[in-house]
Amino acid sequence: MAKLKQNISWTYLDEYRGKDFSGQWPTFPELMKIQAQRFADRPCFTAFDGPKDSKNTLTYSQVYKKIKQLSDWFIANGLKKGDHVAVAGKNSPEWAITYLAVLDASGIVIPIADSLHDPETGNIIKASEPKFAFVDDVKIPYLEKNFKKLKIYSLNRENKNLYVYNLKTDKKVKPNEPPVETDTALILFTSGTTGTPKGVMLSHKNMIADGYIAQTNLLILKEDVFYALLPIHHAYTMQAAFICPLEVGAEIVFGKTMAVSRLMKELKEGKITIMLGVPLLYNKLLAGIRKGIKSKGAIVSFVMAVLRGISFLSKTITGINIGKKLFKPVLQQANIYTLRVAICGGGPLAKGVFKQYQAMGIDFIQGYGLTETSPIITLNPMEHFKIQSVGRDFSPYEEMKVVDREDDTKTLKTGEVGEICVKGPMVMQGYYNMPEETKAMFTPDGFLKTGDLGWMDKEHYVMLCGRAKNLIVTSGGKNVYPEEIEDAFQLCDDIAQITCRGYYKDGDETSEEIEVLIYPSDDLYKRLGCERNNEFVQDEVFDTIKSEVSKVNKSLQSYEQITKITILKEPLELTPSNKVKRNFIPKIYENIKKS
């Protein structure tokens, strides 16, 4: 294959180097100053928070003015260089401006998921010891009661006295010493109510460099409109739908909820061109599209299937995307006709889902990374995507290798499965106040160990198998990756959630067999004409699910096949990025079949 041309998105910085910044990469304050000069009147932040949920947009110059106003207020109220400021709230321009103003004042941002329970939020506050907290009003009573010294302010305009946009100073303040690119910009903490949460320290350079370097595999434009729907405190959304757009001068639309009516309105009226999500979101959207097509009858469904096949074949062979024209009415009805690119992260997307979006004219790409890498370390180029891959690396701007899971000094050959490791400017500074845990994350030659198992091909594309800690080992010594089995069910409309895990049969702890925990979909109960909480109909539900499992088992190797099915009473708890939490005690139906 001829070497693919890479997009070098940061060449414009040369005009400002030595004048507006002096490092290899600009810091956040330097970046926003540059973009306010370049794109003063272009739209920057948009939210549907006007009267009757109307569209409300701030330009780059307006955003920069608000950043400087809040930055001065911080300094006037005692924020010193390196002080921590917690931010916990739903996606909004207020959240983003607070984040950027903290950095402008040389502070360090502590982003916290707004969905966390109070004890989890409190545990992160204790570990990070912020001087200020900016939160949605629902968090204020708990914080006021439990953290008397914490200065608490609001991201909600209804709370006028504490509202972030109303904070200003008449004092002439002396700016703090400005941050340099190697200074810590944010600390992203894991949740949890006990023990010390683990905080990933990321520098200005980590985040800014990763944003630019990721664009070598994806061309984004100043005319693009990004949809920040997933929680922005999460490294994935923060990078792909917040930092990357700011680096090119694009517009960001902040979404607050995945409620279907709201989602459809924001997609349509926002004229979104780049959307990012996790498999759960795209599966839900595709299920709606498929349901609409099925309602038109068997003939229409057949014709659409044939057209999808033709479109995907055309895209694969010629690179020409004809799906947008073929499926225009379908895409318009789903309010995604304006989409130029859809990005998926947070876990592998089923090949069938990926293929259907591509066939309908949506350039659908997958990326991969983790919080410790700012987070993006691979991205599938649109002009040469591989459906089975989570993307190509960013060489020569980063290095990736695969090492033996038992011996991290041994580098494996191309195509061999082991632990993915990476080195580059996006790799974290370490865990906050945890030197031993930090040391354990790196190989002797300085590569970060991702904890993910996979392999790389000769063209530097990464194929993931699963998390090392989730690996199931059978009696024959075969490795089974739960994520691969779960992915096989992504197009099954009868299943809302599925988690695969190992179990010991008949008390034999020498080897594991495969169990799936399944929370059936509402559509399944509706089709069967029964209620979810009716204990007497669960055997019928089980039989339907077992039929789906049998279909998947036929596509699996003998050692991968599912031998136990457990039906859940309640949905599994999700992480803030909408992935199923694997450490849980499920509530199940005790009196129905289990295999």
Side-chain angles (χ1 to χ4, degrees), residues 5 135 220 271 310 415 524 557:
K5 181 181 178 181
V135 299
I220 61 177
K271 297 181 180 178
I310 294 171
L524 173 57
Q557 299 292 330

Side-chain angles (χ1 to χ4, degrees), residues 289-392:
I289 292 172
R290 291 173 62 202
K291 189 174 181 180
I293 292 173
K294 282 182 181 179
S295 70
K296 303 295 183 183
I299 295 176
V300 172
S301 295
F302 175 75
V303 171
M304 288 294 187
V306 171
L307 291 176
R308 282 199 301 269
I310 294 171
S311 176
F312 187 78
L313 188 63
S314 171
K315 175 75 185 298
T316 304
I317 295 174
T318 69
I320 299 172
N321 192 335
I322 63 174
K324 265 286 180 75
K325 291 183 178 179
L326 289 176
F327 293 93
K328 183 175 180 179
V330 174
L331 298 175
Q332 285 179 324
Q333 188 172 359
N335 292 327
I336 56 175
Y337 181 70
T338 59
L339 273 189
R340 188 173 70 83
V341 178
I343 305 171
C344 185
L349 190 72
K351 293 178 184 178
V353 177
F354 180 95
K355 187 174 179 179
Q356 288 194 49
Y357 276 107
Q358 288 279 0
M360 289 189 295
I362 302 296
D363 279 316
F364 205 95
I365 60 174
Q366 295 193 72
Y368 160 64
L370 53 158
T371 302
E372 288 85 346
T373 58
S374 304
I376 309 171
I377 51 177
T378 71
L379 206 60
N380 236 326
M382 287 188 297
E383 63 273 19
H384 186 63
F385 67 86
K386 295 189 179 183
I387 196 169
Q388 72 275 25
S389 173
V390 292
R392 189 184 64 183

Side-chain angles (χ1 to χ4, degrees), residues 474-576:
T474 69
S475 58
K478 297 288 188 179
N479 292 337
V480 177
Y481 305 101
E483 294 88 346
E484 291 185 346
I485 294 175
E486 292 161 6
D487 291 345
F489 289 90
Q490 285 192 23
L491 289 175
C492 179
D493 295 334
D494 290 338
I495 295 174
Q497 290 181 346
I498 181 168
T499 292
C500 175
R501 66 182 183 182
Y503 78 100
Y504 298 114
K505 188 175 183 180
D506 300 325
D508 178 10
E509 297 191 9
T510 60
S511 68
E512 294 179 279
E513 293 197 21
I514 313 303
E515 176 187 16
V516 286
L517 303 171
I518 289 175
Y519 183 69
S521 69
D522 291 337
D523 285 345
L524 173 57
Y525 283 97
K526 186 176 180 180
R527 193 173 76 248
L528 294 176
C530 57
E531 296 180 359
R532 183 183 291 277
N533 59 359
N534 186 340
E535 297 272 351
F536 300 102
V537 302
Q538 298 310 318
D539 279 348
E540 188 177 356
V541 171
F542 180 90
D543 288 338
T544 305
I545 294 296
K546 185 177 181 180
S547 176
E548 295 291 345
V549 170
S550 296
K551 291 177 187 176
V552 170
N553 268 344
K554 290 177 182 177
S555 68
L556 301 174
Q557 299 292 330
S558 58
Y559 61 86
E560 296 177 308
Q561 291 191 356
I562 299 159
T563 58
K564 182 178 181 182
I565 302 168
T566 300
I567 304 297
L568 301 176
K569 277 186 171 182
E570 297 179 359
L572 300 169
E573 188 175 354
L574 300 178
T575 67

